[in-house]
Amino acid sequence: MVVVDRDLQANGASIRNFGFITITGQQAGDCWRRARRSRDVWAEVAEAARIPVLQRGLLMIARRSEARVVLEEFLATDMGAECRFVDPSDIETYGTGLRADSFAAALYSPHEIRVESREAIPRLAAYLAERHDVTFLRETVAHSAEPPRLETSRGIVEAEAIVVCPGDDFHTLRADRIAAYGLTRCKIHMMRLAPRRFDERLPVIMSDLGMIRYLGYSELPAARALGRRLESEQRQHIANGVHLIVARSANNSLVVGDSHHYAATPDPFAPTAVDDLILDEYVHVFAGDAPPIVERWTGTYASAKDRLMLVDKPSDALRIVLITSGTGASISFALAEEVVADLFGQPQRFPA
Ligand SMILES: Cc1cc2nc3c(=O)[nH]c(=O)nc-3n(C[C@H](O)[C@H](O)[C@H](O)COP(=O)(O)OP(=O)(O)OC[C@H]3O[C@@H](n4cnc5c(N)ncnc54)[C@H](O)[C@@H]3O)c2cc1C
């Protein structure tokens, strides 16, 4: 197997994300199913490739009574079966340092794992090269994919089958096919907060704003009332697509985000006003001041209004695969299994 990438090392969305393999909150149905399968693959691969799992689980904080109702509704679905309702008085069971007194409730999900993507992805590539004989052609641009020929800036690669995974580049390979999906791109603000004493029992933390973004909650009837309240109290946050995810790194610094701005060509600018909105939500969830920001970055990913992912089949031996939502770390392994099965004789359906 050969992987062709124009960069010297992974530098796109896959190393800029939270490394948060999210299950609870994914859209009911295929996305949630793929996330569960991908989590299992991540767990297996992380052990084999010596990728540390830094956190397990998710604590979804409900700051408002309307958010509490969303969590109650979620817990009544099949997806809530292994999750737990957490009364504010019990939140410290999961770790200290949160403004538990001001919360209406929380939900604990045991499913998630969190890795440090900027370290995990290079380790994964090294593991595939060393243990599974995968060849990585770096600093190599693919110009044309017509199996059995892949034309690259370093010559022709012969291939029985080709899977084009261009991330958010819609124009270099099979632009004709990709254009039909009407895709755009999403720019995200991310930051790292300085290490501080942090209760290492805490899982990844999210809060109310996430319940109107993540389809597993936002498609529940109770999310409408929460949305109305957030529109009146956090209009600017919503206008900038802000919600809160806080993940811990090995040195107790925190990866905190994020925001969502959509454009065909996102600008490269990262106004501090957007980061301030993210930190505003942070200080309503965590006790004390936010630690200083020690690093900022942006990332982009492919986005579609009508689908979370796409698998296009121009011919028997060619597939074009894009995750068109912020779910790639969570669902790609399962989707990859389906694509490979489909290519090699077990036809699949690919609900978006
Ligand atoms: C800031 C941020 C936070 C996120 N948070 C989460 C999260 O918490 N959970 C989650 O599940 N998902 C999250 N995501 C989404 C997830 O990271 C993406 O869905 C996923 O990484 C997409 O992977 P990819 O391989 O398609 O794209 P990328 O990682 O961008 O890789 C695409 C690669 O293709 C190469 N390429 C493209 N065209 C060519 C060509 N013609 N020739 C050679 N090389 C080419 C590029 O150089 C690049 O290396 C987040 C994304 C971002 C940006």
Side-chain angles (χ1 to χ4, degrees), residues 4-7 9-22 26 137 140-143 164-169 172-173 186-190 214 245 258-259 297-302 321-332:
V4 175
D5 197 313
R6 68 176 155 224
D7 286 317
Q9 71 276 333
N11 198 45
S14 302
I15 58 123
R16 299 176 189 222
N17 61 32
F18 293 91
F20 181 39
I21 320 309
T22 318
Q26 301 293 8
L137 292 182
T140 306
V141 182
H143 297 305
V164 172
C165 303
D168 64 347
D169 178 337
T172 308
L173 282 173
C186 178
K187 179 180 82 169
I188 313 268
H189 281 226
M190 299 283 283
Y214 274 57
I245 300 180
D258 57 1
S259 57
W297 66 98
T298 60
T300 56
Y301 60 68
V321 183
L322 287 94
I323 305 288
T324 53
S325 57
T327 63
S330 308
I331 67 168
S332 294

Side-chain angles (χ1 to χ4, degrees), residues 265-303:
T265 301
D267 69 45
F269 309 113
T272 52
V274 173
D275 298 344
D276 291 345
L277 291 169
I278 299 169
L279 290 177
D280 171 73
E281 183 66 9
Y282 174 95
V283 297
H284 281 91
V285 170
F286 283 84
D289 297 336
I293 300 170
V294 292
E295 191 174 52
R296 299 176 203 261
W297 66 98
T298 60
T300 56
Y301 60 68
S303 174

Side-chain angles (χ1 to χ4, degrees), residues 54-55 114 116 118 191-198 200 246-256 282 291-292 294-295 297:
L54 298 171
Q55 280 176 296
R114 135 107 174 123
E116 194 73 67
R118 63 179 71 179
M191 60 190 115
R192 182 176 294 278
L193 305 187
R196 66 147 49 162
R197 275 187 52 194
F198 191 86
E200 295 187 8
V246 179
R248 179 177 61 78
S249 291
N251 68 351
N252 277 349
S253 64
L254 301 178
V255 176
V256 178
Y282 174 95
V294 292
E295 191 174 52
W297 66 98

Side-chain angles (χ1 to χ4, degrees), residues 145-212:
E146 298 289 349
R149 280 166 66 91
L150 180 73
E151 286 180 21
T152 81
S153 53
R154 293 182 192 268
I156 306 291
V157 176
E158 300 285 339
E160 182 187 343
I162 299 175
V163 183
V164 172
C165 303
D168 64 347
D169 178 337
F170 310 146
H171 304 296
T172 308
L173 282 173
R174 299 312 304 251
D176 56 326
R177 303 285 300 200
I178 295 175
Y181 292 92
L183 305 182
T184 188
R185 295 163 74 201
C186 178
K187 179 180 82 169
I188 313 268
H189 281 226
M190 299 283 283
M191 60 190 115
R192 182 176 294 278
L193 305 187
R196 66 147 49 162
R197 275 187 52 194
F198 191 86
D199 191 330
E200 295 187 8
R201 289 173 302 163
L202 280 176
V204 171
I205 303 290
M206 295 179 67
S207 64
D208 300 22
L209 286 160
M211 294 185 215
I212 58 166

Side-chain angles (χ1 to χ4, degrees), residues 78-92:
D78 291 348
M79 297 185 291
E82 294 166 60
C83 299
R84 262 173 260 151
F85 183 84
V86 186
D87 198 74
S89 59
D90 292 331
I91 282 179
E92 293 211 339

